[in-house]
Amino acid sequence: MNLDEELDNLTKAFIATKQALADGAFIDLTSMDQRIKDLCDHVVAADAETRERIKAGFLALLELIKEMETDMRAKAGRGQ
């Protein structure tokens, strides 16, 4: 799998996870940690052209992860 596909698949997984959490599902996010680490390792190892090409998608994924964290903290604060 190339870096573009890896980023796309991980973004889709986080979008689905964010929706499931919003719907009240319990989701084990343990495996996502390793997937994020693997993606970051691949980004670091990529050439400059590839990093520039995926930059917008990578930043969008980071924003999605931050939104999920905010949502989860808000839910935890409401005792849900």
Side-chain angles (χ1 to χ4, degrees):
M1 178 180 327
N2 69 37
L3 191 52
D4 295 287
E5 291 171 336
E6 187 177 2
L7 178 59
D8 186 53
N9 289 340
L10 194 52
T11 299
K12 287 176 182 175
F14 268 99
I15 289 169
T17 300
K18 185 175 189 287
Q19 183 58 53
L21 289 169
D23 292 342
F26 175 79
I27 307 287
D28 181 2
L29 299 173
T30 307
S31 66
M32 295 299 235
D33 288 345
Q34 186 60 48
R35 290 183 69 186
I36 290 292
K37 182 190 178 310
D38 291 345
L39 176 67
C40 290
D41 289 345
H42 295 148
V43 169
V44 168
D47 59 69
E49 181 182 325
T50 299
R51 286 194 308 269
E52 187 61 34
R53 186 181 70 243
I54 66 157
K55 183 178 180 178
F58 188 77
L59 293 174
L61 175 60
L62 293 179
E63 187 59 35
L64 176 62
I65 294 169
K66 285 195 271 185
E67 289 172 10
M68 269 183 55
E69 178 187 17
T70 299
D71 293 349
M72 292 169 62
R73 287 184 187 275
K75 273 188 148 178
R78 292 191 306 264
Q80 296 180 342

